[in-house]
Amino acid sequence: MLASQTRDPVFETAVRDQLDRIESALVKAADADSPMVREAAQHVILAGGKRFRPLLVVLASHLGPAAVDADVERAAVVVELTHVASLYHDDVMDEAGLRRGSVSANSRWGNTVAILVGDLLFARASDLVADLGPEFVRLQARTFARLVQGQLAETVGPTPGQDRLRHYLQVVADKTGSLIATSALFGAKLAGATAEQQRTMAEFGEQVGVVFQLSDDIIDITSDETGKTPGTDLREGIPTLPTLLARTSTDPADARLLTLLDSDLSSDADLAEVLGLLRRHRSIDEARAEVRRRAESARLLLDGLPAGPARTSLEELCDSVVSRTV
């Protein structure tokens, strides 16, 4: 996802080289003595991914002169291993059949193996982060706690009378924004950034992380070119920004849509119908407008950072997150 408009080919080459080394280190970190465990642990990693979190670590590490490449790459592996581990657990809870276009680990090896492989990857991440020092260990632990709290809040759902959209946005901030915030903060710390710059990067990471998930919400409905079947979240009854916005409608013309949103969508015909209705519904435009607004707020946070290719690339990340929903 490295933007191509940095106009600094030396910087872009350096970042891509780091990301290549991180990719190799990720595979190595998921190694195991047992061939079956090795295959299961490397399954999601080898399926590819956007590597958004490692990219943020790397870009933030270029905001100052102090970063040591080996530490940056270790930090990037830590956050991506944590993310990948959470995907194994998510897929078990969601009973997902696909992950990144491939058969999910829980479908291939069963729930028990998928859960244990997730635990293994969490352990590997904890082992690696210890080499970065106690402050990084504490941040990692607190981030993990937020991930779990976000998953619990999503599982339990909003309390009676609680605003569903506000509850959902907090879940997104905890489940997605928190680890992306930590990615940006790890990089800034390793760069030797000031305390204020570190706070800025953490806030930027959280905001752009929320935007990233909200854009995924839109893509789940509007795109036929992702690694999972369109409408997967709809079928599983997972709330998303477009569906929550659609549910606020009082227009009688939306009666069929609202009925379908509250129904069992196991039928392919019903799923296709609700996708068609949502794709034409104003909630998609409202969701896109919210993504643009939040992305611009994240971009404005960067104004106080040192000018240069790292800041430019971070600004362009905001554009790329928005453009993927068009």
Side-chain angles (χ1 to χ4, degrees):
M1 290 187 65
L2 181 60
S4 60
Q5 304 300 317
T6 60
R7 301 181 183 87
D8 189 330
V10 174
F11 175 78
E12 185 170 338
T13 297
V15 171
R16 291 191 185 280
D17 286 347
Q18 274 189 296
L19 291 174
D20 287 343
R21 292 194 295 271
I22 290 164
E23 195 68 25
S24 298
L26 268 172
V27 175
K28 183 178 179 181
D31 199 2
D33 294 336
S34 161
M36 187 280 288
V37 175
R38 180 187 304 115
E39 184 180 6
Q42 294 177 347
H43 180 68
V44 172
I45 293 170
L46 293 177
K50 293 173 280 287
R51 304 295 188 245
F52 191 73
R53 293 155 190 81
L55 176 58
L56 264 184
V57 175
V58 171
L59 292 179
S61 75
H62 285 273
L63 292 171
V68 175
D69 283 354
D71 288 341
V72 173
E73 290 154 21
R74 183 176 290 108
V77 171
V78 166
V79 295
E80 189 67 7
L81 276 180
T82 303
H83 171 57
V84 170
S86 73
L87 297 181
Y88 281 87
H89 289 180
D90 284 353
D91 285 347
V92 170
M93 296 185 69
D94 297 340
E95 299 180 352
L98 290 176
R99 169 61 64 182
R100 295 176 178 172
S102 301
V103 175
S104 61
N106 51 296
S107 294
R108 183 167 177 183
W109 289 284
N111 287 344
T112 300
V113 169
I115 291 170
L116 290 172
V117 166
D119 292 345
L120 174 64
L121 296 180
F122 278 129
R124 294 283 170 80
S126 299
D127 185 31
L128 287 169
V129 77
D131 291 333
L132 296 173
E135 188 174 5
F136 288 83
V137 172
R138 184 175 296 109
L139 281 169
Q140 177 71 359
R142 290 175 177 175
T143 302
F144 187 35
R146 281 193 67 188
L147 289 172
V148 174
Q149 289 176 110
Q151 184 62 67
L152 282 168
E154 181 179 71
T155 301
V156 173
T159 57
Q162 185 177 11
D163 181 85
R164 295 177 71 177
L165 181 56
R166 181 174 296 181
H167 173 269
Y168 174 68
L169 291 173
Q170 186 60 55
V171 167
V172 170
D174 288 339
K175 280 192 64 178
T176 303
S178 63
L179 186 56
I180 294 178
T182 295
S183 302
L185 181 55
F186 272 11
K189 282 185 172 298
L190 292 171
T194 66
E196 182 178 355
Q197 290 169 346
Q198 289 182 34
R199 285 191 294 271
T200 295
M201 284 307 301
E203 186 176 354
F204 171 80
E206 178 129 354
Q207 289 200 25
V208 83
V210 170
V211 172
F212 191 80
Q213 179 57 54
L214 297 183
S215 71
D216 268 359
D217 285 358
I218 298 170
I219 291 169
D220 180 66
I221 293 170
T222 61
S223 177
D224 294 307
E225 300 177 359
T226 64
K228 63 179 183 178
T229 305
T232 297
D233 291 339
L234 275 169
R235 175 165 277 170
E236 294 170 357
I238 297 172
T240 62
L241 180 60
T243 59
L244 288 168
L245 291 172
R247 286 179 180 279
T248 66
S249 174
T250 56
D251 188 341
D254 292 332
R256 175 60 178 167
L257 171 59
L258 296 177
T259 297
L260 284 168
L261 287 176
D262 287 330
S263 69
D264 177 6
L265 294 173
S266 57
S267 160
D268 289 343
D270 286 347
L271 182 63
E273 183 181 0
V274 75
L275 279 172
L277 290 170
L278 276 171
R279 288 173 177 179
R280 297 188 297 271
H281 197 265
R282 64 181 179 277
S283 61
I284 295 296
D285 288 336
E286 292 172 359
R288 285 175 172 145
E290 181 66 6
V291 164
R292 288 193 296 271
R293 183 188 71 78
R294 287 175 174 270
E296 184 57 29
S297 293
R299 177 201 288 275
L300 290 174
L301 289 170
L302 301 173
D303 286 350
L305 296 178
R311 187 177 113 179
T312 300
S313 293
L314 290 167
E315 290 169 343
E316 290 171 349
L317 275 184
C318 298
D319 295 332
S320 68
V321 172
V322 171
S323 65
R324 62 200 290 265
T325 67
V326 176

mmCIF file of all heavy atoms in Angstrom, residues 112-145:
data_model
loop_
_atom_site.group_PDB
_atom_site.id
_atom_site.type_symbol
_atom_site.label_atom_id
_atom_site.label_comp_id
_atom_site.label_asym_id
_atom_site.label_seq_id
_atom_site.Cartn_x
_atom_site.Cartn_y
_atom_site.Cartn_z
ATOM 1 N N THR A 112 -10.127 -26.084 16.916
ATOM 2 C CA THR A 112 -9.123 -26.236 17.969
ATOM 3 C C THR A 112 -7.738 -25.864 17.463
ATOM 4 O O THR A 112 -6.988 -25.122 18.128
ATOM 5 C CB THR A 112 -9.118 -27.682 18.506
ATOM 6 O OG1 THR A 112 -10.406 -27.982 19.041
ATOM 7 C CG2 THR A 112 -8.072 -27.849 19.595
ATOM 8 N N VAL A 113 -7.375 -26.368 16.295
ATOM 9 C CA VAL A 113 -6.063 -26.042 15.719
ATOM 10 C C VAL A 113 -5.964 -24.543 15.440
ATOM 11 O O VAL A 113 -4.940 -23.907 15.737
ATOM 12 C CB VAL A 113 -5.811 -26.855 14.439
ATOM 13 C CG1 VAL A 113 -4.579 -26.322 13.694
ATOM 14 C CG2 VAL A 113 -5.626 -28.334 14.777
ATOM 15 N N ALA A 114 -7.017 -23.963 14.891
ATOM 16 C CA ALA A 114 -6.985 -22.531 14.571
ATOM 17 C C ALA A 114 -6.785 -21.686 15.829
ATOM 18 O O ALA A 114 -5.987 -20.737 15.837
ATOM 19 C CB ALA A 114 -8.267 -22.122 13.857
ATOM 20 N N ILE A 115 -7.479 -22.030 16.906
ATOM 21 C CA ILE A 115 -7.332 -21.280 18.157
ATOM 22 C C ILE A 115 -5.910 -21.429 18.705
ATOM 23 O O ILE A 115 -5.283 -20.449 19.119
ATOM 24 C CB ILE A 115 -8.366 -21.758 19.193
ATOM 25 C CG1 ILE A 115 -9.767 -21.332 18.757
ATOM 26 C CG2 ILE A 115 -8.047 -21.195 20.581
ATOM 27 C CD1 ILE A 115 -10.871 -21.967 19.575
ATOM 28 N N LEU A 116 -5.400 -22.645 18.708
ATOM 29 C CA LEU A 116 -4.056 -22.880 19.247
ATOM 30 C C LEU A 116 -2.984 -22.208 18.395
ATOM 31 O O LEU A 116 -1.987 -21.696 18.929
ATOM 32 C CB LEU A 116 -3.801 -24.385 19.361
ATOM 33 C CG LEU A 116 -4.618 -25.098 20.444
ATOM 34 C CD1 LEU A 116 -4.431 -26.608 20.351
ATOM 35 C CD2 LEU A 116 -4.242 -24.599 21.834
ATOM 36 N N VAL A 117 -3.168 -22.187 17.080
ATOM 37 C CA VAL A 117 -2.213 -21.488 16.216
ATOM 38 C C VAL A 117 -2.252 -19.988 16.497
ATOM 39 O O VAL A 117 -1.204 -19.321 16.552
ATOM 40 C CB VAL A 117 -2.513 -21.782 14.731
ATOM 41 C CG1 VAL A 117 -1.771 -20.806 13.825
ATOM 42 C CG2 VAL A 117 -2.109 -23.207 14.385
ATOM 43 N N GLY A 118 -3.450 -19.439 16.703
ATOM 44 C CA GLY A 118 -3.534 -18.036 17.100
ATOM 45 C C GLY A 118 -2.782 -17.775 18.386
ATOM 46 O O GLY A 118 -2.033 -16.801 18.513
ATOM 47 N N ASP A 119 -2.947 -18.664 19.362
ATOM 48 C CA ASP A 119 -2.221 -18.531 20.636
ATOM 49 C C ASP A 119 -0.708 -18.590 20.415
ATOM 50 O O ASP A 119 0.055 -17.847 21.051
ATOM 51 C CB ASP A 119 -2.640 -19.635 21.601
ATOM 52 C CG ASP A 119 -4.081 -19.497 22.075
ATOM 53 O OD1 ASP A 119 -4.661 -18.408 21.891
ATOM 54 O OD2 ASP A 119 -4.619 -20.477 22.619
ATOM 55 N N LEU A 120 -0.287 -19.495 19.532
ATOM 56 C CA LEU A 120 1.138 -19.624 19.239
ATOM 57 C C LEU A 120 1.700 -18.328 18.664
ATOM 58 O O LEU A 120 2.778 -17.866 19.075
ATOM 59 C CB LEU A 120 1.359 -20.771 18.243
ATOM 60 C CG LEU A 120 2.787 -20.948 17.708
ATOM 61 C CD1 LEU A 120 3.739 -21.324 18.834
ATOM 62 C CD2 LEU A 120 2.816 -22.001 16.599
ATOM 63 N N LEU A 121 0.968 -17.721 17.755
ATOM 64 C CA LEU A 121 1.450 -16.483 17.140
ATOM 65 C C LEU A 121 1.450 -15.326 18.134
ATOM 66 O O LEU A 121 2.347 -14.473 18.117
ATOM 67 C CB LEU A 121 0.614 -16.141 15.906
ATOM 68 C CG LEU A 121 0.702 -17.157 14.768
ATOM 69 C CD1 LEU A 121 -0.157 -16.713 13.593
ATOM 70 C CD2 LEU A 121 2.148 -17.360 14.310
ATOM 71 N N PHE A 122 0.456 -15.284 19.025
ATOM 72 C CA PHE A 122 0.483 -14.280 20.100
ATOM 73 C C PHE A 122 1.723 -14.459 20.964
ATOM 74 O O PHE A 122 2.387 -13.486 21.350
ATOM 75 C CB PHE A 122 -0.766 -14.403 20.975
ATOM 76 C CG PHE A 122 -1.993 -13.728 20.425
ATOM 77 C CD1 PHE A 122 -3.187 -14.426 20.331
ATOM 78 C CD2 PHE A 122 -1.961 -12.406 20.016
ATOM 79 C CE1 PHE A 122 -4.330 -13.808 19.832
ATOM 80 C CE2 PHE A 122 -3.102 -11.781 19.519
ATOM 81 C CZ PHE A 122 -4.287 -12.491 19.430
ATOM 82 N N ALA A 123 2.060 -15.703 21.260
ATOM 83 C CA ALA A 123 3.244 -15.983 22.081
ATOM 84 C C ALA A 123 4.518 -15.544 21.370
ATOM 85 O O ALA A 123 5.423 -14.971 22.000
ATOM 86 C CB ALA A 123 3.305 -17.479 22.413
ATOM 87 N N ARG A 124 4.587 -15.812 20.073
ATOM 88 C CA ARG A 124 5.770 -15.396 19.314
ATOM 89 C C ARG A 124 5.903 -13.873 19.311
ATOM 90 O O ARG A 124 7.015 -13.324 19.420
ATOM 91 C CB ARG A 124 5.671 -15.931 17.882
ATOM 92 C CG ARG A 124 5.744 -17.455 17.793
ATOM 93 C CD ARG A 124 7.170 -17.968 17.957
ATOM 94 N NE ARG A 124 7.219 -19.409 18.112
ATOM 95 C CZ ARG A 124 7.140 -20.301 17.108
ATOM 96 N NH1 ARG A 124 6.984 -19.875 15.866
ATOM 97 N NH2 ARG A 124 7.219 -21.585 17.347
ATOM 98 N N ALA A 125 4.778 -13.172 19.163
ATOM 99 C CA ALA A 125 4.812 -11.709 19.194
ATOM 100 C C ALA A 125 5.303 -11.210 20.556
ATOM 101 O O ALA A 125 6.113 -10.272 20.640
ATOM 102 C CB ALA A 125 3.428 -11.148 18.888
ATOM 103 N N SER A 126 4.851 -11.843 21.628
ATOM 104 C CA SER A 126 5.264 -11.448 22.973
ATOM 105 C C SER A 126 6.753 -11.673 23.185
ATOM 106 O O SER A 126 7.432 -10.877 23.848
ATOM 107 C CB SER A 126 4.464 -12.235 24.018
ATOM 108 O OG SER A 126 3.088 -11.969 23.901
ATOM 109 N N ASP A 127 7.258 -12.757 22.639
ATOM 110 C CA ASP A 127 8.679 -13.059 22.740
ATOM 111 C C ASP A 127 9.511 -11.990 22.026
ATOM 112 O O ASP A 127 10.506 -11.486 22.562
ATOM 113 C CB ASP A 127 8.941 -14.442 22.134
ATOM 114 C CG ASP A 127 10.380 -14.899 22.312
ATOM 115 O OD1 ASP A 127 11.006 -14.519 23.307
ATOM 116 O OD2 ASP A 127 10.873 -15.636 21.433
ATOM 117 N N LEU A 128 9.079 -11.610 20.837
ATOM 118 C CA LEU A 128 9.832 -10.633 20.046
ATOM 119 C C LEU A 128 9.784 -9.236 20.668
ATOM 120 O O LEU A 128 10.788 -8.514 20.673
ATOM 121 C CB LEU A 128 9.285 -10.585 18.623
ATOM 122 C CG LEU A 128 9.611 -11.785 17.735
ATOM 123 C CD1 LEU A 128 8.788 -11.732 16.449
ATOM 124 C CD2 LEU A 128 11.100 -11.813 17.396
ATOM 125 N N VAL A 129 8.626 -8.843 21.179
ATOM 126 C CA VAL A 129 8.506 -7.482 21.708
ATOM 127 C C VAL A 129 9.362 -7.297 22.953
ATOM 128 O O VAL A 129 9.777 -6.175 23.278
ATOM 129 C CB VAL A 129 7.029 -7.128 21.977
ATOM 130 C CG1 VAL A 129 6.512 -7.771 23.257
ATOM 131 C CG2 VAL A 129 6.828 -5.614 22.020
ATOM 132 N N ALA A 130 9.666 -8.380 23.655
ATOM 133 C CA ALA A 130 10.505 -8.275 24.856
ATOM 134 C C ALA A 130 11.879 -7.723 24.525
ATOM 135 O O ALA A 130 12.512 -7.056 25.361
ATOM 136 C CB ALA A 130 10.623 -9.642 25.531
ATOM 137 N N ASP A 131 12.368 -7.973 23.299
ATOM 138 C CA ASP A 131 13.678 -7.466 22.887
ATOM 139 C C ASP A 131 13.682 -5.954 22.696
ATOM 140 O O ASP A 131 14.746 -5.335 22.618
ATOM 141 C CB ASP A 131 14.119 -8.133 21.582
ATOM 142 C CG ASP A 131 14.433 -9.608 21.761
ATOM 143 O OD1 ASP A 131 14.803 -9.992 22.883
ATOM 144 O OD2 ASP A 131 14.306 -10.377 20.783
ATOM 145 N N LEU A 132 12.488 -5.347 22.595
ATOM 146 C CA LEU A 132 12.408 -3.898 22.400
ATOM 147 C C LEU A 132 12.350 -3.134 23.719
ATOM 148 O O LEU A 132 12.466 -1.906 23.729
ATOM 149 C CB LEU A 132 11.177 -3.548 21.551
ATOM 150 C CG LEU A 132 11.194 -4.093 20.122
ATOM 151 C CD1 LEU A 132 9.850 -3.840 19.446
ATOM 152 C CD2 LEU A 132 12.321 -3.474 19.311
ATOM 153 N N GLY A 133 12.142 -3.846 24.819
ATOM 154 C CA GLY A 133 12.166 -3.185 26.119
ATOM 155 C C GLY A 133 10.808 -3.156 26.790
ATOM 156 O O GLY A 133 9.762 -3.369 26.165
ATOM 157 N N PRO A 134 10.800 -2.892 28.110
ATOM 158 C CA PRO A 134 9.569 -2.973 28.908
ATOM 159 C C PRO A 134 8.472 -2.007 28.455
ATOM 160 O O PRO A 134 7.282 -2.317 28.586
ATOM 161 C CB PRO A 134 10.035 -2.666 30.332
ATOM 162 C CG PRO A 134 11.391 -2.044 30.189
ATOM 163 C CD PRO A 134 11.973 -2.594 28.933
ATOM 164 N N GLU A 135 8.842 -0.831 27.956
ATOM 165 C CA GLU A 135 7.814 0.121 27.529
ATOM 166 C C GLU A 135 7.022 -0.448 26.348
ATOM 167 O O GLU A 135 5.796 -0.312 26.281
ATOM 168 C CB GLU A 135 8.452 1.459 27.140
ATOM 169 C CG GLU A 135 7.423 2.548 26.882
ATOM 170 C CD GLU A 135 8.059 3.908 26.647
ATOM 171 O OE1 GLU A 135 9.305 3.984 26.587
ATOM 172 O OE2 GLU A 135 7.310 4.888 26.520
ATOM 173 N N PHE A 136 7.704 -1.102 25.437
ATOM 174 C CA PHE A 136 7.038 -1.710 24.291
ATOM 175 C C PHE A 136 6.198 -2.911 24.728
ATOM 176 O O PHE A 136 5.109 -3.132 24.193
ATOM 177 C CB PHE A 136 8.071 -2.125 23.239
ATOM 178 C CG PHE A 136 8.683 -0.978 22.499
ATOM 179 C CD1 PHE A 136 9.749 -0.276 23.038
ATOM 180 C CD2 PHE A 136 8.199 -0.590 21.257
ATOM 181 C CE1 PHE A 136 10.322 0.789 22.362
ATOM 182 C CE2 PHE A 136 8.754 0.472 20.568
ATOM 183 C CZ PHE A 136 9.819 1.168 21.121
ATOM 184 N N VAL A 137 6.702 -3.660 25.698
ATOM 185 C CA VAL A 137 5.936 -4.801 26.221
ATOM 186 C C VAL A 137 4.631 -4.312 26.843
ATOM 187 O O VAL A 137 3.563 -4.892 26.627
ATOM 188 C CB VAL A 137 6.764 -5.581 27.268
ATOM 189 C CG1 VAL A 137 5.909 -6.643 27.944
ATOM 190 C CG2 VAL A 137 7.980 -6.223 26.608
ATOM 191 N N ARG A 138 4.720 -3.229 27.614
ATOM 192 C CA ARG A 138 3.514 -2.696 28.260
ATOM 193 C C ARG A 138 2.511 -2.212 27.213
ATOM 194 O O ARG A 138 1.301 -2.473 27.329
ATOM 195 C CB ARG A 138 3.898 -1.549 29.203
ATOM 196 C CG ARG A 138 2.721 -0.994 29.997
ATOM 197 C CD ARG A 138 3.160 0.057 31.001
ATOM 198 N NE ARG A 138 4.037 -0.519 32.013
ATOM 199 C CZ ARG A 138 5.336 -0.266 32.099
ATOM 200 N NH1 ARG A 138 5.921 0.559 31.239
ATOM 201 N NH2 ARG A 138 6.065 -0.826 33.049
ATOM 202 N N LEU A 139 2.996 -1.510 26.211
ATOM 203 C CA LEU A 139 2.101 -1.038 25.146
ATOM 204 C C LEU A 139 1.434 -2.203 24.424
ATOM 205 O O LEU A 139 0.242 -2.167 24.119
ATOM 206 C CB LEU A 139 2.890 -0.190 24.135
ATOM 207 C CG LEU A 139 3.192 1.246 24.541
ATOM 208 C CD1 LEU A 139 4.192 1.859 23.566
ATOM 209 C CD2 LEU A 139 1.912 2.060 24.572
ATOM 210 N N GLN A 140 2.214 -3.243 24.152
ATOM 211 C CA GLN A 140 1.670 -4.415 23.488
ATOM 212 C C GLN A 140 0.596 -5.085 24.339
ATOM 213 O O GLN A 140 -0.469 -5.474 23.836
ATOM 214 C CB GLN A 140 2.800 -5.406 23.176
ATOM 215 C CG GLN A 140 2.365 -6.705 22.538
ATOM 216 C CD GLN A 140 1.908 -6.541 21.102
ATOM 217 O OE1 GLN A 140 1.900 -5.438 20.571
ATOM 218 N NE2 GLN A 140 1.537 -7.637 20.473
ATOM 219 N N ALA A 141 0.847 -5.204 25.625
ATOM 220 C CA ALA A 141 -0.113 -5.837 26.523
ATOM 221 C C ALA A 141 -1.408 -5.025 26.605
ATOM 222 O O ALA A 141 -2.512 -5.585 26.586
ATOM 223 C CB ALA A 141 0.494 -5.994 27.913
ATOM 224 N N ARG A 142 -1.276 -3.714 26.699
ATOM 225 C CA ARG A 142 -2.465 -2.869 26.782
ATOM 226 C C ARG A 142 -3.251 -2.891 25.468
ATOM 227 O O ARG A 142 -4.490 -2.838 25.476
ATOM 228 C CB ARG A 142 -2.057 -1.441 27.146
ATOM 229 C CG ARG A 142 -1.559 -1.335 28.587
ATOM 230 C CD ARG A 142 -1.047 0.049 28.930
ATOM 231 N NE ARG A 142 -0.648 0.115 30.336
ATOM 232 C CZ ARG A 142 -0.068 1.174 30.899
ATOM 233 N NH1 ARG A 142 0.192 2.256 30.161
ATOM 234 N NH2 ARG A 142 0.254 1.150 32.174
ATOM 235 N N THR A 143 -2.532 -2.972 24.375
ATOM 236 C CA THR A 143 -3.203 -3.069 23.078
ATOM 237 C C THR A 143 -3.967 -4.380 22.978
ATOM 238 O O THR A 143 -5.116 -4.414 22.515
ATOM 239 C CB THR A 143 -2.176 -2.973 21.932
ATOM 240 O OG1 THR A 143 -1.461 -1.734 22.046
ATOM 241 C CG2 THR A 143 -2.863 -3.039 20.576
ATOM 242 N N PHE A 144 -3.339 -5.462 23.408
ATOM 243 C CA PHE A 144 -3.999 -6.767 23.373
ATOM 244 C C PHE A 144 -5.264 -6.747 24.222
ATOM 245 O O PHE A 144 -6.304 -7.302 23.846
ATOM 246 C CB PHE A 144 -3.018 -7.841 23.850
ATOM 247 C CG PHE A 144 -3.523 -9.249 23.705
ATOM 248 C CD1 PHE A 144 -4.334 -9.616 22.644
ATOM 249 C CD2 PHE A 144 -3.182 -10.212 24.638
ATOM 250 C CE1 PHE A 144 -4.798 -10.921 22.518
ATOM 251 C CE2 PHE A 144 -3.637 -11.516 24.522
ATOM 252 C CZ PHE A 144 -4.453 -11.867 23.456
ATOM 253 N N ALA A 145 -5.189 -6.071 25.375
ATOM 254 C CA ALA A 145 -6.364 -5.964 26.242
ATOM 255 C C ALA A 145 -7.495 -5.230 25.522
ATOM 256 O O ALA A 145 -8.669 -5.607 25.619
ATOM 257 C CB ALA A 145 -6.004 -5.243 27.534
#
